[in-house]
Amino acid sequence: MHRHLWVWAVLVAFAVPAAGRDDKSDKLVPKKFEREVKIKVEMDYLLYLPKGYEKGDKDWPLVLFLHGGGETGTDLEKVKIHGPPKLVAAGKEFPFILVSPQTRRFGWDPDTLHALLDEITTKHKVDKDRIYVTGMSMGGMGTWALAASRPDRFAAIVPICGGGNPTDAKKIKSLPIRIFQGGKDPIVRLQTAETMIKALKDAGAVDAELKVYPEAGHDSWTETYEDPKVFEWLLKQKRAAKPAEKKDEKVSAKDERLAAPPKGFDAKRDGIERGKAETVEYDSTTVGIKRNAVVYTPPGYSKDKKYPVLYLLHGIGDIETGWTKQGAADVILDNLFADKKLVPMIVVMPNGRAAKDVTQRTPWDKQGPAFEAFEKDLLKDLIPFVEKNYSVKSDRESRALAGLSMGGGQSLNFGLGNLDTFAWVGGFASAPNTKPIGDLVKNPSEAAKKLKLLWVSCGDADFIIDVSKRVHASLSELKVPHEWHLSEGKHEWPVWKVDLYYFAPKLFREVQ
């Protein structure tokens, strides 16, 4: 079904009048701006009405199901691949209304979901005291975020293998919560769920539980949704009538915002020297096959000079060409060289999946082991290949590792875990595959001495910004020097281009 939804938002900000003398002259006077803004949103969704719905005036409980990243798009049939929609499509009957939306881009927007719920509760016989939310992977993250945005709306939530924000624990501590997690999940790690349940318990939650499937990987949803006890538990939960709680005061470290780059920073210029981006093959003893990487050599590259190397990693939806085809990395680097802002360097963009039969089209829950195995491929195969075939420096201070999303997690995991190999590390919008910093930095003082630069950044509207915030907070607590940056945007290429534009010029200036 297709619906157009409307959502109202209130914008509140401080402003200073540009002119006029209604306040004291030559003073900075706090002012308040308030206006209602009408925003059009739309979303496709599958609707299931239970058997007996048409009879009588009974109000029915409602389950909102949020799919994972692999089902993102415009084909509603994909939503039936997992979870409750899969069971309904196979003929299973449920005693509740089931609403299964599809997001067209990576991540879930709480405002749009609330608008959808407004429409459903207006047009259908919904028991507003028995609205439940559940989701898997990306949908698990969406479940946490939606519940935190309006905890008073829901009766219970069931997030599955999706990271939540521990700072939201106080907001949702009164909700009945059941968390399900694979013990061997390489994408959303067990520690993520353990951190969340601890935060809930510390906040005073009395009905929050974590169930771990010790041998399960990322797919912890199949077993969960096929267990009828999960839905039996949900149907017993009812929203408690409570007065609105006072909003928690937000306490956060200063956010260092990145300014918008100059116009055309990612567009090809005429009349400048260009580097060369070429696809190469290298023998991977880790995988047992030849693998591809894109290698960028700077303008004027010469074998008579030795260059430092940046290894630049893509996200879960791309391959080795992601940074050049979508991220315009070669164009951005050319322009930075032309503006004399960049130390001449080689940039290697590999395929971050070290496996024979895993591609970007493989279901995301199956890709985790290949992303983990890339650490060995990088250290034992790719770096030796680059140092044999290109004129590069081979000391740790001449190597940098950075990446976006899944590649951001890899960069932090592999970079901080191998400080004898890399002195420069960057994570752009790092994904939940990022290990806890306490596991990566065993000796904070040693890490502080070895790191030339540790960069952590994210878009301010990114749905997984909590991962980067946790990294920043942990590094701050351990007193590990690092740069923390926010820029305007979501989980998208325009943000990561900005990251590269500001990150690359900081590299290797001390080791020329």
Side-chain angles (χ1 to χ4, degrees), residues 39-275:
I39 306 171
K40 180 180 179 180
V41 296
E42 62 178 3
M43 178 168 277
D44 297 323
Y45 62 94
L46 297 171
L47 178 66
Y48 167 82
L49 299 176
K51 186 177 181 180
Y53 174 85
E54 300 297 340
K55 299 178 181 179
D57 296 323
K58 173 185 174 181
D59 287 338
W60 292 79
L62 180 148
V63 169
L64 177 68
F65 167 71
L66 306 181
H67 64 70
E71 293 75 66
T72 300
T74 57
D75 180 5
L76 272 174
E77 289 299 309
K78 294 169 67 176
V79 180
K80 301 177 184 177
I81 294 176
H82 300 296
K86 174 185 177 181
L87 300 175
V88 168
K92 183 176 178 60
E93 294 182 0
F94 285 107
F96 49 65
I97 297 169
L98 174 63
V99 180
S100 306
Q102 183 178 41
T103 178
R104 297 179 184 178
R105 60 189 304 168
F106 201 80
W108 291 98
D109 175 51
D111 287 337
T112 303
L113 292 172
H114 281 303
L116 172 61
L117 286 173
D118 289 342
E119 168 136 323
I120 296 296
T121 55
T122 298
K123 295 188 175 182
H124 297 279
K125 295 179 286 187
V126 176
D127 183 346
K128 294 182 181 179
D129 288 329
R130 301 172 74 196
I131 297 177
Y132 316 107
V133 188
T134 183
M136 42 173 273
S137 191
M138 182 185 77
M141 300 178 208
T143 298
W144 287 115
L146 184 63
S149 68
R150 279 189 58 186
D152 60 307
R153 184 166 203 170
F154 304 106
I157 63 172
V158 179
I160 304 172
C161 61
N165 184 353
T167 62
D168 287 335
K170 290 183 179 180
K171 300 177 184 177
I172 58 177
K173 63 182 181 181
S174 298
L175 276 175
I177 301 171
R178 294 295 181 268
I179 309 168
F180 294 86
Q181 176 70 40
K184 296 182 178 179
D185 190 334
I187 296 177
V188 180
R189 297 180 179 276
L190 173 59
Q191 295 96 323
T192 301
E194 292 175 334
T195 299
M196 195 65 196
I197 193 67
K198 182 180 185 301
L200 287 166
K201 298 294 187 183
D202 290 346
V206 296
D207 194 10
E209 296 181 6
L210 166 63
K211 179 174 181 178
V212 177
Y213 304 107
E215 299 302 315
H218 191 47
D219 182 2
S220 50
W221 56 81
T222 298
E223 186 170 354
T224 300
Y225 287 131
E226 288 183 352
D227 184 356
K229 293 181 180 179
V230 173
F231 298 103
E232 291 171 4
W233 175 82
L234 270 180
L235 291 170
K236 293 177 182 177
Q237 310 309 312
K238 189 173 182 179
R239 180 176 61 169
K242 293 184 178 180
E245 295 183 4
K246 183 179 179 181
K247 291 184 178 180
D248 295 324
E249 293 184 7
K250 294 182 179 180
V251 180
S252 61
K254 181 181 178 182
D255 295 332
E256 298 295 338
R257 287 195 165 264
L258 298 174
K263 186 176 180 180
F265 80 100
D266 59 347
K268 282 189 177 181
R269 295 186 201 169
D270 295 328
I272 67 171
E273 284 190 273
R274 303 194 189 285

Side-chain angles (χ1 to χ4, degrees), residues 407-486:
Q410 288 177 304
S411 296
L412 294 175
N413 293 346
F414 306 163
L416 294 176
N418 294 279
L419 290 178
D420 289 335
T421 302
F422 304 101
W424 314 76
V425 179
F428 313 156
S430 302
N433 63 314
T434 308
K435 294 179 180 179
I437 294 302
D439 292 351
L440 295 171
V441 181
K442 301 295 187 183
N443 188 329
S445 60
E446 181 183 9
K449 291 178 182 178
K450 287 187 173 181
L451 282 163
K452 292 294 184 181
L453 172 65
L454 176 53
W455 169 289
V456 182
S457 62
C458 198
D460 57 6
D462 195 315
F463 78 104
I464 56 172
I465 190 174
D466 293 333
V467 176
S468 295
K469 285 183 175 179
R470 285 196 295 271
V471 170
H472 166 51
S474 296
L475 290 169
S476 299
E477 184 177 349
L478 293 172
K479 295 182 171 54
V480 177
H482 64 286
E483 292 193 17
W484 163 240
H485 296 285
L486 290 178

